[in-house]
Amino acid sequence: MRGRSEKFAAQALREHASYADFLAELLESEREDRDERREFRRVKEANFPRSKRIEDFDFSKNPNVPLEVISTSPPGSRSATRSEREETARDRDRLEQAVHRVGNVGKVE
């Protein structure tokens, strides 16, 4: 987050964004980065024997797998596990709470 905060701060200044908007963008970026690292870590922990890509699949060796069906699937369209959905929901809740707290800074009740 430290490396990106200066970039987001400069962008916020150029766009005359509020502090809450700046923080929301920064936290959203951090959440996306954590999601990427979590996915990379899980793939690494799975100890797959080698990296597999659809481009490397030999459809001639298994005619029961139609290329048309595979090629119409959107990229990254695997189902998330329950723990992944729960973790994403917790991250989203934390982000919303942080943005809410920052939005209330300086308000007189």
Side-chain angles (χ1 to χ4, degrees):
M1 189 181 313
R2 282 183 218 174
R4 292 184 302 256
S5 63
E6 291 176 6
K7 178 183 120 185
F8 281 103
Q11 180 182 348
L13 284 173
R14 280 192 308 273
E15 297 173 2
H16 304 288
S18 68
Y19 184 72
D21 291 339
F22 157 72
L23 187 58
E25 287 292 321
L26 185 61
L27 291 173
E28 179 63 23
S29 173
E30 177 65 15
R31 188 194 57 78
E32 289 171 359
D33 187 49
R34 286 182 181 197
D35 287 346
E36 282 180 30
R37 288 193 319 258
R38 185 179 305 121
E39 183 174 338
F40 178 79
R41 184 184 73 243
R42 287 181 174 152
V43 169
K44 186 176 178 180
E45 288 172 353
N47 290 319
F48 293 128
R50 62 184 170 89
S51 178
K52 296 182 181 184
R53 302 177 320 145
I54 193 67
E55 294 85 12
D56 299 332
F57 186 80
D58 186 0
F59 288 92
S60 65
K61 296 205 178 185
N62 188 348
N64 296 326
V65 179
L67 173 61
E68 297 78 30
V69 172
I70 301 295
S71 62
T72 59
S73 298
S77 64
R78 67 172 184 77
S79 297
T81 65
R82 181 178 177 191
S83 64
E84 288 173 326
R85 288 190 303 270
E86 289 171 350
E87 194 168 4
T88 300
R90 281 193 305 271
D91 287 347
R92 190 177 306 115
D93 290 344
R94 287 186 196 126
L95 174 62
E96 289 173 2
Q97 290 170 358
V99 169
H100 180 73
R101 279 194 305 270
V102 170
N104 289 329
V105 172
K107 289 185 179 179
V108 178
E109 294 185 21

